[in-house]
Amino acid sequence: MLVRLLLALACVGVPAWVLATRWSTVLNDHPAYLVLLVALVVVGATLGLRARRPRPSGRWRTTGRVAAAVLLVAVLGAVGWLRPFAATSGDPLAVGTPTTWELRPSGPVSDVGVVFYPGARVDPRAYLALLRPLADDGHPVVVVKPPLDIALLVGAPPFDDHPEVSRWVVGGHSLGGTAAAMVDDPRVAGLLLWASYPADDQSSRDLPTLSVSGDRDGLATPADIADTAPRLPAGARLVTVPGGVHAFFGDYGEQPGDGVPATDRATAQRQIVEASRAFVDELG
């Protein structure tokens, strides 16, 4: 009974902690995480109601209860780990849908759009300010809201939602860049990697590519970028931001495991934006 009661409290407590500390992020993100939190609360309430009921004995029933308890603890740990890094900036003109944020040009629209995948566990709004200049240049920008903020869980990119755009640059930060590199569609006109690299060899791919990284990054380290450079499509352009770290590629504060910056965020982001803007503008 005590174990069941403790699990019930955890099933309610973990979602309560996440919502208390990340309410805005969860509310404005892909609905999958919120659904998972609500499901945990329901499980917790059910366990709490059953905590005082007598349970049938038996070796198999006991084994099943232990296995279920272990699984539930694992799920609780995963849910806590998935608590996203909250965005510290945004864009008041961004248009939200359940699965995307869109930055729409105010003037003439280019036939080249941008689909961007966030880094793991990062609030997608953290990239809106950095991508706004691309929309100002006429490129429709779609920032994907991945399920559970894990870009590898995204299905097909939202190209079909924008039939007015004929060509797309796919890009992303960290794990989001790895996911972007996996997109295989004839409408892809370019690949934009921020502190990221492909998971497999793409050197035979004829695709304009820009890789922007920081030389103080503690997660996608300079050694990682150098070692994986041969995987990039032939002719890929590599730009290094002096003093830049992993968390400078979005507005979400510091990130555990990152390096120590040798420049300020604004200076680094100006270089990231300028390189990305020039790359996308060249394509259309």
Side-chain angles (χ1 to χ4, degrees):
M1 183 178 73
L2 178 59
V3 171
R4 186 179 292 190
L5 184 58
L6 290 174
L7 286 173
L9 291 173
C11 286
V12 175
V14 170
W17 165 67
V18 171
L19 292 173
T21 57
R22 295 291 187 270
W23 171 254
S24 175
T25 302
V26 173
L27 195 64
N28 287 282
D29 212 338
H30 191 286
Y33 192 45
L34 179 58
V35 170
L36 182 56
L37 294 175
V38 172
L40 273 177
V41 172
V42 172
V43 170
T46 302
L47 287 173
L49 291 173
R50 294 180 177 179
R52 293 181 176 277
R53 295 182 183 178
R55 293 171 294 175
S57 60
R59 181 167 61 90
W60 293 111
R61 290 183 180 276
T62 300
T63 301
R65 287 195 294 268
V66 170
V70 170
L71 177 60
L72 186 54
V73 169
V75 170
L76 286 166
V79 168
W81 179 81
L82 286 168
R83 187 182 70 135
F85 296 102
T88 57
S89 73
D91 189 310
L93 299 180
V95 178
T97 76
T99 58
T100 62
W101 284 103
E102 297 182 9
L103 299 174
R104 298 172 179 174
S106 58
V109 178
S110 168
D111 68 338
V112 174
V114 178
V115 168
F116 194 87
Y117 295 83
R121 302 162 55 208
V122 178
D123 185 339
R125 295 176 298 176
Y127 302 95
L128 296 176
L130 277 76
L131 295 169
R132 167 54 67 180
L134 301 181
D136 290 342
D137 286 352
H139 305 286
V141 176
V142 180
V143 180
V144 176
K145 297 179 182 179
L148 307 180
D149 288 322
I150 301 296
L152 296 179
L153 300 179
V154 176
F159 296 162
D160 293 337
D161 295 338
H162 298 272
E164 74 281 6
V165 179
S166 59
R167 298 183 296 146
W168 292 90
V169 172
V170 291
H173 171 223
S174 194
L175 186 64
T178 301
M182 295 178 179
V183 176
D184 184 11
D185 188 290
R187 289 168 288 186
V188 174
L191 176 62
L192 175 62
L193 302 176
W194 285 0
S196 184
Y197 44 84
D200 57 354
D201 185 3
Q202 304 209 8
S203 59
S204 63
R205 195 176 182 187
D206 182 17
L207 183 67
T209 299
L210 173 66
S211 171
V212 187
S213 60
D215 67 3
R216 293 296 186 96
D217 194 322
L219 298 171
T221 66
D224 292 333
I225 299 299
D227 291 345
T228 57
R231 299 182 193 172
L232 297 173
R237 188 185 315 165
L238 278 72
V239 173
T240 301
V241 177
V245 295
H246 204 73
F248 281 179
F249 287 83
D251 289 332
Y252 58 94
E254 298 180 355
Q255 187 166 355
D258 204 355
V260 179
T263 187
D264 62 273
R265 182 179 293 270
T267 299
Q269 291 188 343
R270 185 165 55 249
Q271 296 176 65
I272 294 166
V273 170
E274 288 175 355
S276 302
R277 194 174 189 175
F279 173 70
V280 177
D281 286 348
E282 285 177 8
L283 295 175

